[in-house]
Amino acid sequence: MTVKDILDAIQSKDATSADFAALPIPESYRAITVHKDETEMFAGLETRDKDPRKSIHLDDVPVPELGPGEALVAVMASSVNYNSVWTSIFEPLATFGFLERYGKVSELTKRHDLPYHIIGSDLAGVVLRTGPGVNAWKPGDEVVAHCLSVELESSDGHNDTMLDPEQRIWGFETNFGGLAEIALVKSNQLMPKPKHLSWEEAAAPGLVNSTAYRQLVSRNGAQMKQGDNVLIWGASGGLGSYATQFALAGGANPICVVSSDQKADICRSMGAEAIIDRNAEGYKFWKDENTQDPREWKRFGKRIRELTGGEDVDIVFEHPGRETFGASVYVTRKGGTIVTCASTSGYNHEYDNRYLWMSLKRIIGSHFANYREAWEANRLIAKGKIHPTLSKVYSLQETGQAAYDVHRNLHQGKVGVLCLAPEEGLGVRDEEMRAQHIDAINRFRNI
Ligand SMILES: C/C=C/C(=O)SCCNC(=O)CCNC(=O)[C@H](O)C(C)(C)COP(=O)(O)OP(=O)(O)OC[C@H]1O[C@@H](n2cnc3c(N)ncnc32)[C@H](O)[C@@H]1OP(=O)(O)O
Ligand SMILES: NC(=O)C1=CN([C@@H]2O[C@H](COP(=O)(O)OP(=O)(O)OC[C@H]3O[C@@H](n4cnc5c(N)ncnc54)[C@H](OP(=O)(O)O)[C@@H]3O)[C@@H](O)[C@H]2O)C=CC1
């Protein structure tokens, strides 16, 4: 029995749930890994010189044991997220520490503590097996998976599962991730695959779409409302391309920051009008490594006022971190919100606190999304209200190159990876709906 038989069943059109349940699970499968004995391979190098192509491997690995509440999924496609870039360059720390810590939780979680880490936090595919206690999903179901892994044994996580003390990001802080032919997930990560999308299109939004939804829309984030001015850093990138869509679909006014003409055009084609090209306009928020330049914050704020007819921003959608955070706090309007989920350029932020407290601004920390938020974000994709922003698709063996592109900011929107899917374009179940949205679905393709 090989993964080829699984692929044949998925492509056969008439395979039933019973047929999938009867398929033997192969002993091994191909997966993208990083290796524990290589975590020091980039020691001494600058972050930008650490090359994911050197640390990312394609290995044959054994299929993990299936536990209660879990599912084994045949992965047709996945996508590259920035967390896989962090794993592959072993920054800000090697992810094997997370696996060791998870391995100590129970006899079953010990499975995750291995000398290799199968990475990837998105998937679209087909359920192969479910463990004891799983009733909502069955073999043969076509699914996407969000990346929140929780134990929920403590009361802390029962208002908002992101607050579970054992909250982890699947494929980053757990093993058996989505950049592989088979993945192990908790069944409460599963959601229906949007029927009008191909496997690679369905896999692309998951992590970033859910994160942007919580950060911007949810009551746990900035609670964006109609008419809000929303400053979006990296507005055509992974997170930003969904934040821009949420702002537009929610009646807000996105002010999109990008770094090239081409990216400005993409934002325009999504419907944004206020666009700042940070490269062309040459903002230098830091005079040197340790000193910011408040005159540049002011120049940036004036530009925003020009674009909004004199208004300041209600919300800043933050993730670049150290390089932009001082400016973000400065340009937010009185009583406004800076909502941050990351620190790509450095996690020790500096800002002038007088502008925060005197103007009653708030900084909100946001991280991924709970199941409900991920479900609502996926529902918007399934209804054709928000669209995938897939630009380029790689094969599983090219994942290192895909991660390199994302690390070096050479990509647009999201970068996809075919796992079991032999080619792009497969898995569409609702051609009519697809035809209605085809331009939006293809907006980021091949640019
Ligand atoms: C969905 C996609 C998301 C993304 O892409 S996000 C971007 C990628 N992610 C990252 O870059 C984050 C990577 N993670 C980290 O850098 C680290 O993960 C953290 C800095 C977030 C946490 O560090 P750590 O060392 O793992 O945890 P500690 O909480 O500092 O625990 C260490 C020890 O410190 C104790 N401790 C924690 N808080 C306190 C406190 N307030 N007072 C006293 N002690 C404290 C703990 O208990 C523990 O102790 P004991 O070692 O004995 O177990
Ligand atoms: N906590 C969470 O749940 C999540 C956190 N993240 C984190 O968010 C960050 C961004 O992820 P994602 O959007 O997928 O990544 P992408 O690389 O796809 O997009 C980020 C965009 O930000 C812009 N950018 C990068 N560096 C800077 C900078 N120094 N100053 C201004 N703009 C910058 C770039 O756009 P341009 O060049 O056009 O300006 C880039 O395209 C990563 O650190 C990731 O780990 C991501 C998802 C979830």
Side-chain angles (χ1 to χ4, degrees), residues 230-439:
V230 185
L231 181 73
I232 301 172
W233 291 103
S236 71
L239 287 168
S241 57
Y242 294 89
T244 301
Q245 293 187 69
F246 285 129
L248 289 165
N253 172 34
I255 295 106
C256 296
V257 188
V258 292
S259 63
S260 71
D261 266 354
Q262 199 182 29
K263 291 181 174 188
D265 283 344
I266 297 175
C267 291
R268 251 175 236 116
S269 81
M270 281 192 277
E273 290 169 7
I275 294 162
I276 297 177
D277 181 338
R278 64 184 174 100
N279 248 354
E281 297 181 24
Y283 296 104
K284 266 193 97 189
F285 299 131
W286 290 83
K287 285 191 236 179
D288 59 49
E289 262 191 25
N290 301 309
T291 326
Q292 295 199 62
D293 185 352
R295 284 171 314 178
E296 283 293 271
W297 298 347
K298 186 168 243 174
R299 183 162 77 91
F300 185 57
K302 275 189 178 163
R303 180 76 181 112
I304 292 170
R305 286 179 178 180
E306 262 171 40
L307 291 167
T308 58
E311 295 177 342
D312 293 332
V313 293
D314 299 276
I315 300 169
V316 182
F317 185 84
E318 244 294 336
H319 50 87
R322 183 171 173 80
E323 198 162 315
T324 55
F325 206 81
S328 292
V329 171
Y330 179 79
V331 301
T332 303
R333 73 175 288 193
K334 241 180 198 274
T337 304
I338 302 99
V339 60
T340 175
C341 75
S343 291
T344 313
S345 65
Y347 48 75
N348 285 315
H349 298 185
E350 281 178 30
Y351 62 91
D352 184 335
N353 199 38
R354 294 171 300 172
Y355 291 107
L356 191 85
W357 101 71
M358 293 298 285
S359 294
L360 302 104
K361 305 177 188 183
R362 294 182 307 151
I363 296 172
I364 297 180
S366 189
H367 186 39
F368 189 60
N370 62 39
Y371 192 9
R372 187 63 205 162
E373 289 161 338
W375 187 283
E376 285 170 0
N378 183 57
R379 176 174 168 271
L380 290 169
I381 301 275
K383 286 186 168 292
K385 305 232 181 238
I386 301 291
H387 302 285
T389 60
L390 187 67
S391 57
K392 204 166 172 186
V393 180
Y394 288 87
S395 65
L396 197 54
Q397 54 266 38
E398 293 168 325
T399 303
Q401 182 63 44
Y404 175 86
D405 288 0
V406 174
H407 181 31
R408 299 301 284 266
N409 199 14
L410 302 171
H411 68 302
Q412 317 277 2
K414 287 291 303 175
V415 173
V417 175
L418 296 181
C419 298
L420 280 173
E423 61 193 75
E424 295 179 37
L426 304 175
V428 177
R429 308 293 179 226
D430 185 343
E431 292 286 358
E432 200 181 319
M433 179 173 174
R434 183 180 180 77
Q436 280 169 25
H437 298 291
I438 194 66
D439 291 344

Side-chain angles (χ1 to χ4, degrees), residues 81-84 86 91-93 98 101 121 147 169 172-173 207 211 341-343 347 367-369:
N81 283 293
Y82 215 100
N83 65 349
S84 292
W86 294 122
E91 285 197 25
L93 22 86
F98 301 138
R101 198 180 282 181
S121 302
C147 62
I169 298 299
F172 179 67
E173 292 158 306
L207 182 149
T211 305
C341 75
S343 291
Y347 48 75
H367 186 39
F368 189 60

Side-chain angles (χ1 to χ4, degrees), residues 37-235:
D37 61 4
E38 291 184 349
T39 57
E40 293 304 317
M41 71 191 292
F42 298 132
L45 293 181
E46 292 292 320
T47 297
R48 72 172 268 117
D49 297 327
K50 298 179 180 177
D51 187 339
R53 294 172 298 191
K54 296 191 174 141
S55 54
I56 280 179
H57 303 279
L58 180 60
D59 290 333
D60 267 310
V61 294
V63 175
E65 182 194 344
L66 178 65
E70 294 179 340
L72 281 174
V73 181
V75 185
M76 294 298 275
S78 182
S79 90
V80 171
N81 283 293
Y82 215 100
N83 65 349
S84 292
V85 174
W86 294 122
T87 304
S88 71
I89 61 173
F90 310 108
E91 285 197 25
L93 22 86
T95 44
F96 289 98
F98 301 138
L99 304 185
E100 284 164 20
R101 198 180 282 181
Y102 192 28
K104 292 190 182 118
V105 171
S106 72
E107 270 308 304
L108 203 61
T109 64
K110 265 190 199 157
R111 290 167 303 169
H112 291 259
D113 183 9
L114 294 168
Y116 57 86
H117 188 180
I118 303 166
I119 61 175
S121 302
D122 275 322
L123 70 73
V126 179
V127 175
L128 291 175
R129 287 283 192 283
T130 55
V134 178
N135 305 306
W137 304 96
K138 56 182 190 323
D141 285 347
E142 298 193 344
V143 292
V144 291
H146 71 76
C147 62
L148 170 61
S149 167
V150 281
E151 309 300 312
L152 284 181
E153 290 189 289
S154 151
S155 67
D156 291 2
H158 281 262
N159 274 343
D160 173 9
T161 45
M162 280 304 296
L163 300 185
D164 186 35
E166 299 294 339
Q167 178 273 318
R168 291 180 172 81
I169 298 299
W170 162 70
F172 179 67
E173 292 158 306
T174 79
N175 220 321
F176 316 121
L179 285 163
E181 292 172 332
I182 293 177
L184 181 74
V185 297
K186 303 221 181 215
S187 68
N188 59 18
Q189 288 176 243
L190 297 174
M191 308 188 290
K193 172 189 164 289
K195 291 187 182 348
H196 65 301
L197 299 179
S198 67
W199 297 109
E200 62 280 5
E201 289 162 355
L207 182 149
V208 282
N209 184 42
S210 310
T211 305
Y213 182 84
R214 180 181 175 109
Q215 199 174 341
L216 204 53
V217 181
S218 164
R219 67 171 77 105
N220 291 313
Q223 300 188 70
M224 184 194 76
K225 63 182 189 318
Q226 291 182 36
D228 278 353
N229 290 318
V230 185
L231 181 73
I232 301 172
W233 291 103

